[in-house]
Amino acid sequence: MAHIVFLIFLSLSAFSDEKVCSTVIIHGKEKMDLNETEKRLVCGDKKVDAYKDIPTYQASYLMVGFLQSRGFLKPEFETVDGVLHVHPGKKAKLKKVTLASDIKEEKFIKEEVNRRYRKKVLSPGLIGDVEKESKTILRQRGYPCAVVESSADADTNEIGLQFSKTVYHTFGDVKREKIEGLRDNALDRYYPYDGGDAFDERLLDLNEKRMLRAEVVQGTYYLEDCSEDAKEFSLAQEFMVGPPRTIRFGVGASTELGPMARVVWSHNRSGSMASTIQARIQGSLRSQSLVVTADTFVWKESPRRSLYSELNITRESQIDYEQSLFRLTPASVKWTRDGGEHGWTWILGPTLESGTYFSKDKSQTRAFNTAVLEGSFNLMAHNYELFDIHPEEGDLLDFKFGFRHPSLGFSDPSLRLDSSYVKLARLSEMGRGTIIGGFRIGAGTLVISDKVASGDLPPAVKFYGGGSDDIRGYLLNTLPKNDGIGAITRTSLKLELRRTYFFHEKLESFVFLDAAYFGDQSFKTDETLFYSPGFGLRWKSPIGMIQGYWARALTLAPNEDNGNFLYAGLGGTF
C-alpha cells in the first residue's frame, strides 16, 4: 500500500513539474509556457558555441524576469547536480493601488484605477498600465505636465503612485499655424474647447478627428511645452494642408441591400471661411440617391453659424412600397457650439418637396408637391464623437420636426415629430476586452387629423420599421406589416450588450433585443409588439464595420413566431 501511495505521489509531482530542458525544471501547478527565445536564454543553444551551456546562476537571474512578467514576484531557486530547480511560488494579484496627493482628483483617480486593475495579475506590465492610466486621467483633468511614478510591494501586493508637476492649466492661447487663404477664425467650428477651459487631451484628439473627417486638412498635430517647474504651459498647432478637393469611391454588399456603390466629391475649403460643398451618388438594389450639400459660412464674425443648402433626389424600391422623392433646401440657418461635455447643432429652414409613391395596399401611383418648414436639434457627447465608426461610450440625442400645411401645398395640416436617444457605457473589463451596454429609445408621431387615412399619405411623412439598423429580426421597412401603408406613430427600444476583443482586437460579439410598437393615430400605438432577440459578430475591417447576426422575429398580441432571420454585410449602427 505504501508503495502505491509513493507512486501516486511521484506521478502527481511529475505532472505538476515543467521540464524546460535537461538543466532547468519548474515546479508548481501552473504552466509557465516559456517561448522559444526564453528557453534558449536559460537552457542555451547547442548550435551556438558561446551559448551551449548557460550557468545556473545566469539562468536563475533571467528566470526572475520571466516569472515576474507572469505575476510570480517571489520565486525561489536551488541547484542540485547541475540542474536548476525553480519554485515560482504563488501568483500575485493586485490588492490595491495607493496614492497620496493634494490634488482634488485624488479620490477619483484612486477609485478608477482600483476598479480597473484590482485583482489582476501583478506584473511589470500591469504597473506600467496603472501609471499610464493615471497619467491619462490627469491629462484629461487639467494637468498636462503631470509626471507619474510608481512602486510595487511584493509583500503586500500593492502599487503606490507618486505624482509630481501637478500644476493646473487651461488650454490658453493656442498658437495655430496660418493657412493661406483662410481667415484666422475660419476653422473655429472644429474646436471643442475654448482657451479658458481646463486642459483635456481628449479634446485635442477630437479636434483632430473633426478636421480629418471633414477633410478640411490632411493632418494636424499639437506641440506641447511645459516649463521645468510646470508652472508655464503652452500649445501650438501645425497643419498638413493638402488639396481642398477630394473624390472617394466605395463598394460593398449586404444581404439586405445587395451590392452597393458610392462616389463622393467634395470641396472642403471654399472661400476665406472654409465653406464646404459635397456631391454624393450612391446606389443599391433597394435605393438610389443623389445628394448635393453646401455649408456656406457667410457671417465672418460668427464662424459657427452658416447657411445650409441641400438637393436630395432619392428613389426607394422597398418590399411593400416604392417612392421617388425630390427635396430642395435652398437655405437653412445652421448653428453649432460646444459646451460642457457635448457638442450642439441646430438647423432651421424651409424645404421644397415633391414625389410620387405607391404601395401594395394602393397600387395606383400618386404624387404630391409641398413646402415644409423643417428643423433639427442634435446633442452629442464628446466621448461618443471620439469614435470614428462605432461608439463605445457616451450619448446622443436627436430631434427633428417637419411642418406641412395646405397653404404650403400639402393635403392636410400636419406636424411630423421624430426623436431618438442612445446611451452607451463601459460596464466592466473581461480579459483583453470590455463589456459594453447600450440602449436606444425612439419615438415619433405625425400630428394630423384622425379623419385622414394613413394610406393616402406619402411614405416620406410616415414611420416604418425593420432592418439591420432598426428591428433586426425583420426585413427593411416591412413593419408594421400592413402592405406598405406604414404608421402614424412609432415607439421603439433597442438593447445591446457587446464584448470587445473577441479572440481578436478587431472582433466583437454582441447580443441584442429590439422592440417596437406602431399605431395609425397621432400619439397612439396599437397593442401589437414586434420584437427580435438575437446575437452576432462584428469586424472592424479596413473598409468599415462588417457584421453578421441571427435574430428571431416575434410578435405579441397576437403571439406569432415569424421565424429566423440571418444578416451579413456592411453596417452595424446601433
Side-chain angles (χ1 to χ4, degrees):
M1 184 67 179
H3 288 84
I4 295 174
V5 172
F6 181 69
L7 290 173
I8 293 174
F9 175 77
L10 287 179
S11 299
L12 291 174
S13 299
F15 180 76
S16 62
D17 291 345
E18 181 180 350
K19 187 174 182 180
V20 181
C21 56
S22 60
T23 58
V24 179
I25 298 176
I26 301 175
H27 302 274
K29 296 180 179 180
E30 294 204 42
K31 288 285 186 181
M32 294 298 112
D33 291 325
L34 299 183
N35 60 44
E36 291 303 316
T37 300
E38 291 172 329
K39 289 179 180 179
R40 283 198 296 269
L41 287 172
V42 297
C43 297
D45 189 340
K46 301 301 182 183
K47 298 179 181 179
V48 181
D49 291 338
Y51 291 96
K52 281 185 177 180
D53 299 304
I54 303 297
T56 55
Y57 73 87
Q58 181 178 336
S60 64
Y61 176 80
L62 294 169
M63 283 297 299
V64 169
F66 301 154
L67 293 172
Q68 286 184 346
S69 69
R70 292 164 169 81
F72 299 94
L73 303 185
K74 296 192 292 185
E76 296 180 353
F77 304 92
E78 60 178 342
T79 302
V80 179
D81 297 330
V83 177
L84 179 66
H85 293 264
V86 182
H87 303 274
K90 188 177 180 181
K91 182 177 286 189
K93 293 190 176 181
L94 179 62
K95 184 177 180 181
K96 67 177 179 179
V97 178
T98 62
L99 167 64
S101 175
D102 57 356
I103 62 173
K104 62 181 181 180
E105 290 79 9
E106 175 190 345
K107 182 179 179 181
F108 173 81
I109 295 174
K110 189 187 299 184
E111 290 176 350
E112 185 66 14
V113 294
N114 275 290
R115 180 189 66 82
R116 290 197 62 179
Y117 299 108
R118 193 171 66 88
K119 295 184 178 181
K120 289 194 174 184
V121 175
L122 183 54
S123 65
L126 183 73
I127 297 170
D129 291 341
V130 171
E131 275 191 21
K132 182 179 178 181
E133 179 68 15
S134 302
K135 186 170 183 177
T136 296
I137 296 174
L138 286 168
R139 285 179 53 81
Q140 292 174 354
R141 284 165 173 78
Y143 302 96
C145 305
V147 175
V148 179
E149 296 177 324
S150 64
S151 59
D153 190 324
D155 294 322
T156 62
N157 292 344
E158 295 179 1
I159 295 177
L161 295 176
Q162 301 85 38
F163 297 162
S164 60
K165 298 187 178 182
T166 49
V167 181
Y168 181 86
H169 289 286
T170 62
F171 285 100
D173 184 15
V174 181
K175 298 177 182 178
R176 302 181 198 167
E177 179 186 6
K178 292 185 180 294
I179 298 179
E180 184 179 356
L182 296 187
R183 291 172 59 91
D184 291 343
N185 65 346
L187 303 182
D188 282 3
R189 62 187 183 270
Y190 298 110
Y191 289 83
Y193 62 84
D194 293 321
D197 294 340
F199 178 86
D200 185 342
E201 68 175 358
R202 292 171 298 184
L203 299 185
L204 301 184
D205 294 338
L206 181 55
N207 168 233
E208 178 183 354
K209 286 179 178 291
R210 285 181 177 180
M211 289 185 163
L212 297 183
R213 290 166 186 165
E215 298 181 334
V216 66
V217 294
Q218 285 191 340
T220 181
Y221 59 93
Y222 283 90
L223 301 173
E224 300 181 24
D225 185 31
C226 292
S227 63
E228 187 64 28
D229 59 3
K231 292 183 178 180
E232 301 294 331
F233 170 72
S234 63
L235 274 173
Q237 186 177 21
E238 301 290 327
F239 300 106
M240 292 168 279
V241 179
R245 299 174 184 83
T246 60
I247 185 168
R248 290 176 285 127
F249 304 88
V251 295
S254 74
T255 54
E256 182 173 78
L257 298 175
M260 299 175 282
R262 178 174 61 192
V263 180
V264 181
W265 174 91
S266 57
H267 189 326
N268 306 301
R269 289 197 313 274
S270 176
S272 64
M273 292 297 291
S275 298
T276 62
I277 305 169
Q278 184 182 93
R280 181 176 72 249
I281 300 175
Q282 63 184 34
S284 68
L285 298 181
R286 289 285 175 215
S287 65
Q288 305 83 42
S289 65
L290 165 65
V291 180
V292 181
T293 61
D295 209 0
T296 309
F297 293 83
V298 296
W299 292 278
K300 291 182 169 51
E301 301 305 322
S302 299
R304 285 178 169 265
R305 185 172 62 195
S306 63
L307 291 178
Y308 178 78
S309 305
E310 179 178 304
L311 169 67
N312 187 328
I313 303 173
T314 302
R315 178 184 177 275
E316 289 184 85
S317 180
Q318 302 295 347
I319 293 175
D320 294 331
Y321 70 89
E322 288 193 16
Q323 175 179 236
S324 297
L325 194 63
F326 173 91
R327 288 170 52 86
L328 175 63
T329 302
S332 292
V333 181
K334 178 180 176 182
W335 302 265
T336 66
R337 69 178 294 267
D338 287 275
E341 298 179 350
H342 291 78
W344 312 61
T345 302
W346 299 265
I347 301 177
L348 178 65
T351 293
L352 303 176
E353 192 174 62
S354 179
T356 60
Y357 60 96
F358 68 87
S359 65
K360 283 184 177 180
D361 177 67
K362 294 188 177 182
S363 58
Q364 182 180 357
T365 300
R366 285 161 289 176
F368 70 100
N369 299 280
T370 185
V372 191
L373 177 62
E374 291 185 318
S376 66
F377 169 73
N378 180 280
L379 177 65
M380 183 185 297
H382 288 150
N383 56 349
Y384 186 96
E385 189 182 356
L386 272 169
F387 295 90
D388 290 318
I389 58 173
H390 194 50
E392 296 181 358
E393 61 181 340
D395 61 329
L396 170 65
L397 173 66
D398 194 60
F399 172 76
K400 298 176 182 177
F401 77 87
F403 176 70
R404 295 168 175 85
H405 194 269
S407 62
L408 301 175
F410 200 62
S411 58
D412 298 272
S414 68
L415 175 63
R416 190 179 192 273
L417 306 172
D418 192 12
S419 63
S420 67
Y421 177 74
V422 59
K423 174 69 175 179
L424 295 165
R426 300 173 187 264
L427 302 180
S428 66
E429 307 292 325
M430 178 177 283
R432 293 185 176 182
T434 304
I435 301 299
I436 298 170
F439 68 87
R440 179 185 289 270
I441 300 174
T445 192
L446 180 68
V447 184
I448 196 169
S449 171
D450 293 343
K451 297 179 181 180
V452 177
S454 56
D456 294 332
L457 297 170
V461 303
K462 294 181 291 189
F463 298 91
Y464 294 84
S468 60
D469 294 338
D470 193 62
I471 311 302
R472 283 170 274 193
Y474 290 89
L475 293 170
L476 180 65
N477 289 340
T478 55
L479 298 181
K481 298 181 71 173
N482 56 6
D483 291 332
I485 294 176
I488 300 298
T489 297
R490 165 189 159 133
T491 60
S492 63
L493 173 65
K494 292 165 62 72
L495 303 173
E496 184 170 288
L497 199 63
R498 312 174 189 164
R499 191 268 171 96
T500 64
Y501 211 119
F502 188 66
F503 297 110
H504 189 277
E505 62 180 343
K506 296 294 184 181
L507 294 178
E508 76 170 24
S509 57
F510 61 98
V511 294
F512 61 86
L513 175 64
D514 303 333
Y517 285 103
F518 297 88
D520 58 3
Q521 295 183 40
S522 303
F523 298 106
K524 293 182 180 180
T525 58
D526 299 333
E527 293 182 353
T528 302
L529 173 67
F530 299 91
Y531 68 103
S532 299
F535 62 88
L537 190 67
R538 294 191 181 106
W539 172 37
K540 298 177 184 178
S541 79
I543 62 171
M545 185 66 69
I546 295 176
Q547 69 171 346
Y549 64 79
W550 168 91
R552 193 78 172 180
L554 305 169
T555 63
L556 287 178
N559 294 334
E560 291 181 355
D561 186 339
N562 297 290
N564 297 319
F565 186 90
L566 296 174
Y567 173 90
L570 287 170
T573 301
F574 174 65

